[in-house]
Amino acid sequence: MARDNNRQSGISRREAIASGASVSAALLLAGCADDPEIGDDDVDDGVDDGPAEQLNITQQVAPIEWDPIVLNDAYSEQIVHTVYDGLYEYDVQTLDPQPKIAADEPEVERDGERFIVPLREEPEFHDGTPVTAEDVVHTFLAPVEEQTDNMPDVDMIESAEAIDERTVQFDLEFPYGAFTEMTLARNVVHAEARQEDPEAYNTENPIGSGPYQFDDAVVGEFADVTRWDDYWDEPSEIPSIRWEPAEDDAGRVSRILAQETDVMEGIPPADWTRLEEEDGIRVESTPDTGVFYMAFNTNEGPTADPDVRRAVAHCHSVGAFVDDVIGEAGQNINYPVAPTIADEWDFPVDEWNDMEYEFDPDRAQELLDGSDAIEEGEELHFISPPDDLRQQWCELAADRLNEIGYGGTVERLDWDTFLNTYDTGDADDYNAYTLGWTGGADPDTYFWNLLHRESEGVNQGHFYESDEFHDKIEEARRTVDFETRRQNYIDVTEELLEECVWIPGWNTLSAIAINESRVDGVLPDTSTSTTPRVDLPSVSLQ
């Protein structure tokens, strides 16, 4: 799972910037490619008959880090998943994990508390070192040992042991229903190289076993990977890939229209139809596991009062915003999981959608006038990541508050600043924020990370206090009984909506725009973090 979220373990990004240290070679801003081709002297692709071609990809947001142990944002993972292989990996456009470095499905013992995973003999890291059980053990234990943002993904593991070079045994603290579907699908790191110099591993020398290896990056301009010709599995057809960020919607669209890029992710809804109808451009889409939401600071400040939160929800219409701004590119959802997960679990989505707060400015003003937590004319402070849609949502709520005699300010923060701000619980930093989360095949990946108090300050920043609320999420995490889990998630969602802990927003299609004259075989995936899927052997340049 990955979100629009990340905090580096060890030295923080904030500390690194203040000290002048190099945070990450992949900390990128907007830029553009000068030349879609690289000569033979630049890339050793094993071909002597002419220049090697480069696939150019435009990202919505600049990546942050390269180390799977610490990174926790979707945009870094878009690159990283080409550099590393997972123990298990998802088939394209499915939530069905398949063995990758693992040789087979795990053997399950002790009533679901022990998993024994055999490993293939063939996988090697880019430095020629075989992938062993010790690398897998380090991959799964390091997030907890180092207290990284990925800790909730693996903290149910009580111990991991290398039985031999090709066998790993996981013992869990409790039976965890999503262990096979979610936890085991992690990118495997080079334990020795990472432990020798963790900072360099995360910024300039990531070593994986995937089809591509890190090549070069210039902060604010680009990040390059090149094909690893000794890849142990089926190799890619593409010699090299360059990612460039363009956080401005118009900038991304202009690049694909001008054929300055081959693939663009993050299609602005307003440009969807235009791109579909443009000659030479193909739009590919698939259902996505992401959710977008507005979360309130329930820790302190005016929004600690649920009536203030309800007033914000009543003063604008999320449904109308989604219809008008996002249109066919997504759908309004009034629940905290992706629609595909809600359908699979038979959640009462019609009932939840009926609980959506109606646009009622008179009721909003009545709630604010009756609250001791806010005074007339007082402004609520909204923060947004560098994304036009989420900024517009904040601006809509702020404008409506202004119209009823209160007020709102909106601050669009750069990605790194936002990620160091939204989870503080400090009312001086924010009263509300908008964010997105790419979940997965099990509801726990949403409820635990986004709503449980153990994830406060890690993957969330609302600090909601309700013992029963958190107990139900934890009980659902610690049992494999489907009916218990399902009912607990229903109860938690109802409280989330009734107390307006956050306002669910929308789910969008995972989509990419493709320059048909240049590239073939690229597909979107069910997760933003692996879209576009350029690691497929079927991907080729025309």
Side-chain angles (χ1 to χ4, degrees):
M1 307 89 7
R3 69 139 80 228
D4 308 338
N5 170 36
N6 192 313
R7 182 171 57 229
Q8 181 178 352
S9 63
I11 180 172
S12 71
R13 292 193 300 274
R14 184 187 293 114
E15 293 167 338
I17 292 170
S19 66
S22 172
V23 180
S24 173
L27 184 59
L28 309 177
L29 300 176
C32 61
D34 295 323
D35 192 335
E37 295 188 349
I38 301 176
D40 287 332
D41 291 338
D42 298 307
V43 178
D44 180 11
D45 66 346
V47 179
D48 296 322
D49 53 350
E53 290 187 290
Q54 175 177 275
L55 177 68
N56 296 299
I57 300 173
T58 298
Q59 290 182 281
Q60 183 175 2
V61 175
I64 300 282
E65 294 168 305
W66 295 96
D67 179 3
I69 301 299
V70 301
L71 75 82
N72 197 32
D73 71 287
Y75 306 103
S76 297
E77 178 65 23
Q78 287 173 358
I79 301 175
V80 162
H81 87 270
T82 70
V83 176
Y84 296 86
D85 277 330
L87 185 60
Y88 292 82
E89 293 184 353
Y90 297 105
D91 282 348
V92 63
Q93 299 186 344
T94 77
L95 296 175
D96 183 22
Q98 300 295 323
K100 183 65 173 183
I101 289 176
D104 204 344
E105 301 295 330
E107 180 182 347
V108 184
E109 299 179 351
R110 291 175 50 186
D111 297 323
E113 290 189 13
R114 171 170 289 175
F115 291 76
I116 301 172
V117 179
L119 307 183
R120 300 183 193 272
E121 296 182 0
E122 305 94 334
E124 290 185 347
F125 290 110
H126 299 146
D127 64 355
T129 304
V131 180
T132 69
E134 293 293 348
D135 298 300
V136 176
V137 168
H138 177 70
T139 296
F140 282 80
L141 295 185
V144 174
E145 293 171 350
E146 300 174 21
Q147 300 286 289
T148 77
D149 284 1
N150 291 305
M151 179 175 59
D153 298 345
V154 295
D155 64 2
M156 75 294 298
I157 299 175
E158 187 173 63
S159 65
E161 179 183 357
I163 302 301
D164 54 46
E165 279 200 350
R166 295 285 178 266
T167 311
V168 181
Q169 177 178 296
F170 298 97
D171 286 312
L172 309 189
E173 181 183 345
F174 51 85
Y176 178 57
F179 192 74
T180 300
E181 287 186 318
M182 294 298 307
T183 309
L184 289 178
R186 297 189 66 78
N187 292 318
V188 176
V189 303
H190 190 310
E192 183 178 358
R194 183 179 183 276
Q195 291 170 307
E196 183 177 335
D197 192 341
E199 183 177 352
Y201 194 82
N202 189 35
T203 60
E204 61 188 39
N205 189 37
I207 301 174
S209 61
Y212 289 89
Q213 54 190 332
F214 173 80
D215 182 14
D216 190 18
V218 174
V219 174
E221 295 185 18
F222 67 87
D224 289 345
V225 297
T226 56
R227 181 178 60 201
W228 183 34
D229 290 328
D230 293 327
Y231 183 47
W232 64 275
D233 202 357
E234 190 173 357
S236 171
E237 294 292 323
I238 307 294
S240 71
I241 307 173
R242 167 167 289 193
W243 278 267
E244 296 175 306
E247 294 177 350
D248 175 67
D249 286 353
R252 290 197 306 282
V253 173
S254 66
R255 294 201 65 214
I256 191 72
L257 289 174
Q259 298 188 358
E260 294 174 352
T261 190
D262 301 316
V263 181
M264 182 195 81
E265 65 94 8
I267 298 177
D271 295 286
W272 188 288
T273 300
R274 177 188 181 190
L275 291 173
E276 281 188 321
E277 296 175 350
E278 184 74 19
D279 288 342
I281 294 177
R282 185 174 75 257
V283 173
E284 293 277 1
S285 65
T286 192
D288 187 85
T289 57
V291 295
F292 293 88
Y293 55 93
M294 178 182 290
F296 292 101
N297 185 340
T298 65
N299 187 50
E300 60 183 35
T303 49
D305 181 348
D307 278 345
V308 174
R309 304 194 297 267
R310 294 182 184 113
V312 176
H314 274 305
C315 79
H316 71 293
S317 171
V318 179
F321 175 80
V322 173
D323 289 344
D324 294 343
V325 178
I326 299 177
E328 295 181 1
Q331 60 179 305
N332 180 211
I333 57 172
N334 200 45
Y335 43 92
V337 299
T340 52
I341 308 305
D343 289 345
E344 184 177 341
W345 281 65
D346 194 26
F347 286 143
V349 294
D350 290 339
E351 295 176 24
W352 291 344
N353 287 334
D354 288 342
M355 295 176 70
E356 182 173 342
Y357 288 84
E358 295 181 356
F359 174 53
D360 188 342
D362 292 337
R363 177 58 178 156
Q365 184 165 8
E366 180 183 349
L367 288 167
L368 293 174
D369 290 346
S371 172
D372 295 330
I374 190 170
E375 298 180 359
E376 187 173 356
E378 185 175 348
E379 294 183 326
L380 298 181
H381 184 49
F382 298 80
I383 60 173
S384 164
D387 170 68
D388 290 353
L389 280 177
R390 282 170 280 185
Q391 180 183 352
Q392 289 174 37
W393 188 10
C394 290
E395 290 171 344
L396 173 63
D399 288 345
R400 295 293 183 265
L401 286 170
N402 283 314
E403 290 174 4
I404 60 174
Y406 289 82
T409 61
V410 178
E411 187 177 11
R412 175 171 170 148
L413 302 175
D414 67 77
W415 198 232
D416 196 63
T417 303
F418 182 89
L419 298 177
N420 280 293
T421 303
Y422 85 98
D423 59 0
T424 64
D426 187 342
D428 290 335
D429 291 333
Y430 65 89
N431 301 121
Y433 62 86
T434 49
L435 201 44
W437 176 263
T438 299
D442 191 276
D444 176 76
T445 65
Y446 301 86
F447 284 91
W448 183 263
N449 288 285
L450 300 182
L451 298 172
H452 194 269
R453 64 176 130 221
E454 290 222 358
S455 294
E456 291 165 357
V458 179
N459 289 316
Q460 51 161 289
H462 54 75
F463 299 85
Y464 176 64
E465 286 299 326
S466 166
D467 288 342
E468 185 178 7
F469 182 87
H470 298 290
D471 288 348
K472 283 182 176 293
I473 295 174
E474 184 158 5
E475 182 184 28
R477 182 177 176 85
R478 289 175 170 265
T479 180
V480 295
D481 182 75
F482 178 82
E483 288 304 325
T484 298
R485 300 185 72 208
R486 179 179 179 275
Q487 187 58 52
N488 280 15
Y489 291 137
I490 292 173
D491 294 344
V492 167
T493 300
E494 290 177 356
E495 183 170 350
L496 171 82
L497 299 175
E498 289 169 355
E499 296 299 315
C500 203
V501 179
W502 38 270
I503 304 174
W506 62 86
N507 161 263
T508 56
L509 291 171
S510 178
I512 53 176
I514 303 165
N515 181 347
E516 289 189 297
S517 67
R518 277 274 297 163
V519 64
D520 188 42
V522 177
L523 292 171
D525 212 347
T526 56
S527 169
T528 301
S529 61
T530 49
T531 293
R533 282 297 297 268
V534 293
D535 58 325
L536 304 173
S538 58
V539 177
S540 62
L541 290 171
Q542 309 276 0

